[in-house]
Amino acid sequence: MAAETDPHRPTGKVSVIVIGYNDARHIKHAVLSAVRQGPAVAEVLVVDDASTDDTAAVVADLARRYAPVRVVRRTVNSGGCGTPRNNGLREATAPYVMFLDSDDELAPGAVDALLAAAVRHGAPVVAGACLRRELPEMRDTPWQNALFQRAGVHNSPAELPALVRDTLCVNKLYSRAFLSEHGVTFPEGAFRYEDFVFTARLLAASPRIALIPDIVYLWHVRRSAVQPSISLARSGVDNWLSRLQAHRSAVEVFERAGQKQLAHAARVKFLDHDLRMYVHELGTHDSRHHAEWWRLTREHLASFDESDLRAADAPARWLARVVTGADRPRDLARLIGLGSSPARLLPPYACVNGRAVWAANLPEVVLDSIESEPLSRLPVSIDAELHVWGWPRALQITVHELYGRLAAAVPKTLDIELRRRTDGRVGLSRSSVLKWHQGPDGLTWNGTVLLNGLDSMAGQHAHGLDAWDVWARLHCADGSSVYTCVRATGSGLRRTVIPGRRRGVTLVQPYATAGGSLALRIAPGPGAAAVVVKRRLRRLMSRDVE
């Protein structure tokens, strides 16, 4: 990124539009991240969408203290993010604009890096890398990482249809004149996932686009927030309906513009990303949600054709075919496993006329590519039953056959890794030799992995719980391997305290994730155990009162 002392840096070229509603707690950090971008920023337009908390006072104070900050106060809440962003676009005066949400931040040097690429390549749109940061864990996940591995310039989106996968509006710099000339705006009012439609309108206008690998945006994800963001508020089926409507609107934009290739790419992105993400979470909902979700999804998928399905990854393709092939919810545990990342396909494994199919009573859903995909890319299912409360502490492992592919590869050994969620660090690694077993449900490979040393993984904070995902690496005689998360099975998911040499006792709390994978929370010392016990007692007492 450009250095702070570079005398050739352009000045006053960018308007940063910050939108906020009832976010007095975070909006100051967002605005300051824009102000600190330096002289390239002409103004920081803060659009307050009729907040009822202290947001107005916070941004008014910022406007008094920092010359670039200008406040636009709406008197009626719009119900969405599109209208305040459009307000900001109309008020902006600089040649280029960027968008920033009140609970996120621009990365240091972001504006200089984007602006330099725009000027160098004559591009009205420049996109940079975004980090999706989960708080307070500080776990970073690159957004659409494949697009931002290296710098590149594309004369139109048709040269790289995968651009439709980056539906964010906030990691980009835009020529304000280009947006105005082509009428690129956001949907007004209470329209969720307005980014989908804005991005479609932008790409349909065929701008020259530059991509840079620099991290320009920090997308903060606060799952424990009292009022979660629109993208995280997925408890009701109405959120899924909003996503379907936004996706449908985006595809219609491409089709009206004659951009059939981009419309196709958008449908494939829906299968690979949106469908799998929401299937992954079905286990957290009830049967009424399942029924309505199934109906809505079948209706939406009716507009997809075979070319869309074939272009999607195998797990998403199979998911879509099961939903369209059955008129009511079925096999939800197996679907949730396929929606997980990495995907897993649970037994039973049915064959009809020598072909791998989803089920004997749904033979039209053929699991194509099972025979041809490398073993490392197949949704192999590995079960783990935890025994942590006795001695020895161990995982009982079961590796399931998958239509003859594992039998041909001959599994030999399995490595278990506990990876810390916050940074991916491997805290413990153990191995086991596997033995095959022919049971009533088919061929499996079984082994036992000892978990001595769990107490050494406990963190430094007295009451802090570190979360660890359990991963498995399967080694086969033919040299192939599989790396995947293990599935939690059995009755071992209960909290326990184990003795240790370093801290006396260590609290271990195993649990199943939304997708059914095994994970552990581990905390050191008697203090952590005491805190957990007190919380448990408070919950029991509250139940008695009720």
Side-chain angles (χ1 to χ4, degrees), residues 282-293:
L282 284 178
T284 63
H285 300 295
D286 59 21
S287 58
R288 291 180 59 184
H289 181 105
H290 296 158
E292 183 65 6
W293 182 93

Side-chain angles (χ1 to χ4, degrees), residues 248-401:
R248 190 178 299 116
S249 297
V251 170
E252 289 172 355
V253 167
F254 290 134
E255 290 178 336
R256 284 197 302 269
Q259 300 277 10
K260 304 230 176 259
Q261 190 177 17
L262 295 183
H264 166 71
R267 287 190 290 267
V268 175
K269 173 262 178 186
F270 173 85
L271 297 171
D272 283 337
H273 178 72
D274 305 68
L275 180 63
R276 286 190 64 183
M277 177 170 60
Y278 279 75
V279 165
H280 172 76
E281 297 175 352
L282 284 178
T284 63
H285 300 295
D286 59 21
S287 58
R288 291 180 59 184
H289 181 105
H290 296 158
E292 183 65 6
W293 182 93
W294 199 274
R295 182 186 67 80
L296 292 170
T297 306
R298 290 190 83 215
E299 290 177 357
H300 187 69
L301 291 176
S303 64
F304 289 51
D305 59 30
E306 183 62 21
S307 66
D308 300 325
L309 295 179
R310 287 198 170 277
D313 291 338
R317 182 165 68 243
W318 301 341
L319 287 173
R321 286 174 173 159
V322 173
V323 174
T324 56
D327 59 3
R328 60 178 58 88
R330 59 168 291 164
D331 305 331
L332 290 183
R334 300 181 76 208
L335 290 172
I336 291 168
L338 269 189
S340 300
S341 181
R344 68 170 66 91
L345 179 60
L346 305 181
Y349 306 121
C351 285
V352 174
N353 297 325
R355 295 195 304 174
V357 298
W358 179 258
N361 60 357
L362 199 62
E364 61 269 30
V365 179
V366 178
L367 304 183
D368 52 333
S369 76
I370 278 282
E371 304 87 357
S372 58
E373 286 285 349
L375 189 65
S376 60
R377 296 187 58 184
L378 290 180
V380 173
S381 182
I382 300 177
D383 294 347
E385 183 172 359
L386 182 64
H387 299 278
V388 74
W389 54 92
W391 184 264
R393 286 176 273 280
L395 283 175
Q396 299 296 327
I397 300 294
T398 301
V399 181
H400 293 279
E401 171 62 298

Side-chain angles (χ1 to χ4, degrees), residues 37-217:
Q37 295 294 314
V41 174
E43 58 186 355
V44 180
L45 287 169
V46 184
V47 184
D48 177 7
D49 199 5
S51 296
T52 56
D53 67 350
D54 293 333
T55 296
V58 171
V59 297
D61 180 63
L62 289 169
R64 285 191 296 269
R65 294 171 58 194
Y66 300 97
V69 178
R70 183 156 63 94
V71 179
V72 177
R73 167 79 175 172
R74 288 182 49 81
T75 57
V76 178
N77 180 256
S78 68
C81 296
T83 296
R85 289 195 184 120
N86 288 337
N87 292 153
L89 277 175
R90 287 190 290 269
E91 291 284 338
T93 59
Y96 295 94
V97 295
M98 290 186 68
F99 301 105
L100 172 60
D101 289 347
S102 62
D103 54 350
D104 298 332
E105 294 180 46
L106 293 181
V111 169
D112 282 346
L114 292 164
L115 185 58
V119 173
R120 183 185 312 120
H121 302 296
V125 180
V126 183
C130 168
L131 279 185
R132 193 174 185 272
R133 175 167 291 171
E134 297 211 23
L135 299 173
E137 298 89 349
M138 293 294 289
R139 181 174 59 175
D140 291 343
T141 304
W143 167 257
Q144 296 298 333
N145 193 40
L147 290 173
F148 301 102
Q149 290 296 300
R150 60 186 63 85
V153 183
H154 305 277
N155 290 319
S156 77
E159 293 184 359
L160 186 65
L163 287 169
V164 303
R165 292 177 175 258
D166 180 17
T167 51
L168 297 183
C169 73
V170 289
N171 60 329
K172 301 175 181 68
L173 178 80
Y174 309 89
S175 160
R176 190 164 60 86
F178 183 90
L179 297 182
S180 177
E181 177 186 353
H182 296 277
V184 179
T185 60
F186 292 88
E188 294 277 349
F191 190 100
R192 292 181 174 180
Y193 301 107
E194 72 292 333
D195 289 34
F196 287 24
V197 179
F198 176 86
T199 302
R201 290 170 177 171
L202 177 76
L203 298 180
S206 294
R208 181 178 173 86
I209 297 181
L211 303 178
I212 62 173
D214 307 69
I215 297 170
V216 300
Y217 198 84

Side-chain angles (χ1 to χ4, degrees), residues 190-193 237-247:
F191 190 100
R192 292 181 174 180
Y193 301 107
V237 76
D238 58 323
N239 183 281
W240 180 236
L241 177 60
S242 296
R243 200 174 190 101
L244 297 179
Q245 291 171 337
H247 175 261

Side-chain angles (χ1 to χ4, degrees), residues 19-37:
I19 64 167
Y21 171 67
N22 283 357
D23 199 13
R25 182 178 179 183
H26 303 117
I27 196 166
K28 178 179 179 180
H29 297 288
V31 172
L32 290 180
S33 77
V35 170
R36 290 166 180 162
Q37 295 294 314

